[in-house]
Amino acid sequence: MGLTKGSPAAQCADLRSAYHDCFNRWFSEKFAKGQCDKEECVAEWEKYKACLLEHLEEKHLRNILLEAEGLSSSIKGDNVSR
Amino acid sequence: MVRAYNQEHVYRHPWDRVTTASWRKFTDPDTPAVLSHVLDVHTLSRRLDLAAGRLHTVRSITVRSPPLPFFLRRLVGAEAVVCHCVETSVVDPRARSMEIVAVNASLRGLIEVEERSSYRPHPDNPETWTIFRQETRIRCKPFKALAAVAGKVEQRCADRFQQNSVKGREFVERICKYLEAESSSSTAAAATR
């Protein structure tokens, strides 16, 4: 209990590292130097995000994740009712 | 009552290197050893605005609070608490600016911390130096029972935030040096080829 409380979504640590490694490389070699015409590390990000959606339980952080995904309203089933 | 303080630091490294180091500050393999108060960092959202050429990111940063004062320990039932912070950032590489706002998401009924930081080219030496500015505002909620000690808690938090900020700055310096060595050795290797 203590561990999961201290580090939310510990299950996603490997996918996170893969994403952050990719991101750090892209940022330093391209983006920070002004090459901002193309999004990279998309596959890494999608996998990492899917893991967070599954495992991130801390309520406030989860809301941010869902809001960013545009899922916060549809999850309440508003779209389904009529 | 709000306690606010500002700090500035000049990195003798170019903007792209310092901002790279700033991203690595929380994701480097050495982070757990150097910044032991940082328990976990997740990227919650990222959006590349292709038209404006800006990168928008939201991250969560989970930190262990400093040991709590006695009365809070009784209140919370623990010696220290885990606190989630939310960091929102915008990077504009054409304008060479990086703006970061971090706020605490936990314990907001007790304390509110807002930290605004920016990295920009140094006006005197824009190609090779970077100026880091940070404004931190800490506000304890004025519970009557806590009012007498709130000032002390604010001061303690301010001290600790400043200590951690210095640690973070030193770590960014270290990563910059590493990146510098890496880029000069690859330039040298390219030159000998």
Side-chain angles (χ1 to χ4, degrees):
Chain A
M1 182 186 120
L3 187 74
T4 44
K5 259 199 149 178
S7 73
Q11 300 90 334
C12 306
D14 290 347
L15 292 171
R16 173 187 51 195
S17 303
Y19 169 66
H20 283 156
D21 287 351
C22 183
F23 173 87
N24 285 337
R25 213 174 314 121
W26 169 74
F27 187 89
S28 63
E29 290 170 11
K30 297 188 180 162
F31 190 72
K33 295 191 159 71
Q35 291 177 43
C36 35
D37 51 341
K38 193 168 153 271
E39 194 154 17
E40 291 190 20
C41 311
V42 176
E44 287 85 352
W45 168 241
E46 292 297 332
K47 278 185 217 160
Y48 170 40
K49 193 173 62 185
C51 182
L52 285 180
L53 283 168
E54 189 175 350
H55 294 289
L56 189 65
E57 281 173 6
E58 206 284 325
K59 214 169 118 200
H60 188 92
L61 303 184
R62 189 170 177 82
N63 281 342
I64 296 173
L65 194 66
L66 293 176
E67 258 170 45
E69 283 296 285
L71 291 174
S72 48
S73 57
S74 61
I75 249 175
K76 288 171 198 144
D78 294 345
N79 303 339
V80 189
S81 54
R82 233 148 282 186
Chain B
M1 196 187 120
V2 179
R3 202 169 288 262
Y5 55 90
N6 297 296
Q7 39 189 339
E8 275 191 13
H9 181 71
V10 178
Y11 289 97
R12 292 169 185 246
H13 294 278
W15 180 86
D16 62 307
R17 185 181 298 148
V18 178
T19 50
T20 294
S22 155
W23 282 112
R24 292 191 190 189
K25 179 167 91 168
F26 292 137
T27 58
D28 192 88
D30 283 344
T31 303
V34 182
L35 304 174
S36 56
H37 64 289
V38 178
L39 296 174
D40 213 358
V41 177
H42 279 298
T43 300
L44 299 178
S45 131
R46 63 161 227 170
R47 186 168 60 84
L48 182 61
D49 180 342
L50 289 171
R54 288 193 196 128
L55 175 70
H56 298 255
T57 309
V58 181
R59 299 197 298 181
S60 67
I61 299 166
T62 302
V63 294
R64 191 188 293 115
S65 76
L68 297 171
F70 179 69
F71 77 98
L72 275 181
R73 231 178 271 182
R74 297 267 309 260
L75 205 73
V76 178
E79 265 189 40
V81 288
V82 165
C83 174
H84 303 291
C85 301
V86 176
E87 177 206 80
T88 310
S89 63
V90 182
V91 189
D92 184 338
R94 286 180 214 155
R96 286 195 291 178
S97 82
M98 178 169 183
E99 309 278 342
I100 308 163
V101 181
V103 298
N104 62 313
S106 314
L107 306 175
R108 289 192 71 83
L110 218 53
I111 187 169
E112 288 175 3
V113 181
E114 185 187 80
E115 201 176 69
R116 294 181 168 269
S117 319
S118 70
Y119 291 95
R120 289 178 182 280
H122 194 287
D124 295 344
N125 212 339
E127 297 310 315
T128 46
W129 289 0
T130 303
I131 184 153
F132 169 73
R133 290 198 183 91
Q134 189 173 58
E135 185 193 272
T136 310
R137 299 168 67 82
I138 297 175
R139 192 162 78 96
C140 269
K141 288 300 177 68
F143 288 129
K144 266 196 182 144
L146 297 183
V149 274
K152 275 186 194 160
V153 177
E154 279 171 350
Q155 186 57 50
R156 192 186 288 235
C157 286
D159 290 348
R160 183 55 72 110
F161 270 93
Q162 249 162 339
Q163 282 168 19
N164 285 337
S165 176
V166 170
K167 271 196 223 166
R169 240 161 46 203
E170 286 168 352
F171 193 36
V172 170
E173 283 283 11
R174 225 171 86 183
I175 301 172
C176 281
K177 285 214 184 85
Y178 167 78
L179 291 169
E180 184 180 27
E182 202 180 43
S183 73
S184 63
S185 69
S186 64
T187 321
T192 54
R193 242 173 254 149

